[in-house]
């Protein structure tokens, strides 16, 4: 039985008219995320968001059944997290985030952590892991982090890259065999401010100190990275010298196999 990896849904609350679904909330995932998981032999399954507007009987889709069904959880990137989730107020209206999605993902995240099943957070997902552990966020790096390099460029999107340095003794350093010499894409204007309780920093931007990866040490696997490793899959991206996304996904899936008691494919 292949591993079953859940991916949280992105929510589109007001679809544009051309999609033919006016006044209907849409749920979706960016295809690279599913491809990254499936390229390593696991099944990728989007976890639907369910709220009161779905008109389902109470308890029809219990959270625990979803957690029991899946072997691991990936938190997708997307819109900002609502500052209300960490006791703040948005400094600008466009940074108000999506509290509906926040509550949906926080419930899933806590369910998987409580079950001891692995969680991998990407970009927004890393920030959510920090908030779930009582941490806070910098709402806007350019205006709130003096001396910061450019971490988001809307014109170039995933073509913007910078260096990351892994902390000595970190999981990332172990998987990749070194702490420096790594380049990643950068598509974020927010980042970790106060680190959540029980978390450690795995990586930083060496040019300005912005936190680029966090981890919950101890039993289990809870890792968040600020870049998008699912965008590092193509030969073209690898030719640009970007960090290989394979070791990270393999470590995540190995943790899922260990938790489920399943051997690696091909293992005797």
């Amino acid at each position: 039985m292949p591993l079953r990896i859940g991916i949280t849904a992105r929510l589109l609350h007001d679809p544009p008219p051309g999609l033919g679904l006016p006044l209907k909330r849409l749920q979706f995932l960016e295809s690279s995320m599913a491809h990254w998981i499936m390229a390593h032999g696991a099944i990728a399954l989007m976890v639907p968001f369910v709220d009161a507007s779905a008109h389902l009987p109470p308890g029809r889709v219990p959270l625990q059944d979803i957690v029991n069904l899946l072997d691991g959880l990936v938190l997708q990137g997307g819109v900002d997290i609502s500052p209300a989730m960490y006791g703040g107020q948005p400094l600008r209206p466009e940074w108000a985030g999506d509290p509906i999605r926040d509550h949906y993902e926080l419930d899933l995240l806590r369910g998987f952590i409580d079950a001891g099943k692995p969680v991998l957070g990407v970009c927004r997902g890393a920030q959510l892991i920090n908030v779930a552990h009582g941490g806070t966020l910098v709402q806007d790096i350019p205006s709130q982090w003096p001396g910061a390099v450019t971490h988001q460029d809307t014109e170039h999107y995933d073509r913007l890259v910078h260096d990351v340095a892994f902390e000595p003794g970190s999981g990332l350093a172990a998987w990749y065999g070194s702490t420096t010499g790594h380049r990643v894409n950068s598509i974020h204007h927010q980042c970790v401010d106060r680190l959540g309780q029980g978390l450690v920093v795995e990586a930083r931007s060496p040019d300005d100190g912005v936190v680029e990866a966090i981890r919950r040490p101890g039993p289990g696997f809870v890792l968040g990275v600020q870049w998008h490793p699912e965008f590092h899959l193509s030969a073209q991206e690898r030719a640009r010298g970007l960090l290989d996304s394979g070791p990270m996904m393999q470590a995540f899936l190995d943790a899922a196999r260990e938790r489920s008691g399943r051997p690696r494919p091909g293992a005797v």
Side-chain angles (χ1 to χ4, degrees):
M1 171 72 72
L3 292 171
R4 294 170 292 203
I5 303 302
I7 308 173
T8 58
R10 295 185 182 225
L11 305 183
L12 185 59
H13 298 282
D14 299 301
L19 294 182
L21 290 165
L23 306 179
K24 300 294 184 183
R25 179 188 288 130
L26 301 186
Q27 307 183 49
F28 66 100
L29 60 85
E30 200 283 324
S31 60
S32 296
M33 183 62 77
H35 295 164
W36 183 32
I37 294 168
M38 293 188 295
H40 290 79
I43 297 173
L45 301 167
M46 191 180 78
V47 182
F49 165 78
V50 178
D51 67 359
S53 67
H55 306 297
L56 292 176
R60 179 68 179 273
V61 187
L63 172 66
Q64 194 57 53
D65 284 353
I66 294 174
V67 174
N68 291 343
L69 175 70
L70 300 173
D71 298 301
L73 180 71
V74 174
L75 302 165
Q76 283 198 88
V79 300
D80 296 340
I81 292 168
S82 171
M85 297 298 111
Y86 48 91
Q89 295 290 330
L91 301 179
R92 291 175 58 172
E94 60 266 35
W95 302 339
D98 184 353
I100 293 177
R101 180 178 173 187
D102 295 339
H103 287 293
Y104 148 72
E105 289 192 316
L106 283 169
D107 285 344
L108 283 171
L109 171 59
R110 289 163 179 155
F112 275 81
I113 289 177
D114 289 347
K117 294 189 175 184
V119 176
L120 176 60
V122 171
C123 197
R124 168 196 159 90
Q127 296 166 10
L128 191 82
I129 289 171
N130 190 57
V131 169
H133 288 80
T136 62
L137 303 178
V138 172
Q139 290 190 36
D140 184 57
I141 295 171
S143 62
Q144 294 184 282
W145 196 289
V149 301
T150 301
H151 286 266
Q152 182 184 51
D153 186 329
T154 55
E155 180 180 352
H156 293 93
Y157 189 53
D158 60 342
R159 309 300 293 174
L160 178 67
V161 300
H162 65 65
D163 292 339
V164 293
F166 301 154
E167 293 292 304
S170 64
L172 287 168
W175 304 331
Y176 288 94
S178 63
T179 58
T180 59
H182 308 297
R183 291 180 67 75
V184 298
N185 59 41
S186 189
I187 319 171
H188 62 104
H189 80 107
Q190 300 194 329
C191 67
V192 169
D193 185 7
R194 185 182 72 242
L195 188 65
Q197 185 176 4
L199 300 178
V200 297
V201 173
E202 282 272 298
R204 295 182 185 270
S205 166
D207 298 315
D208 57 18
V210 166
V211 173
E212 291 285 335
I214 58 176
R215 177 176 59 89
R216 177 173 169 159
F221 182 109
V222 180
L223 174 73
V225 299
Q226 193 61 77
W227 64 93
H228 284 258
E230 75 275 22
F231 294 166
H232 291 190
L233 298 181
S234 70
Q236 181 181 9
E237 294 301 302
R238 292 194 298 273
R240 294 173 62 207
L242 295 185
L243 185 71
D244 182 4
S245 62
M248 185 188 307
M249 177 53 66
Q250 194 61 64
F252 169 70
L253 294 179
D254 283 347
R257 290 188 183 95
E258 182 178 358
R259 172 63 178 76
S260 67
R262 300 180 198 173
R264 265 201 189 194
V268 177

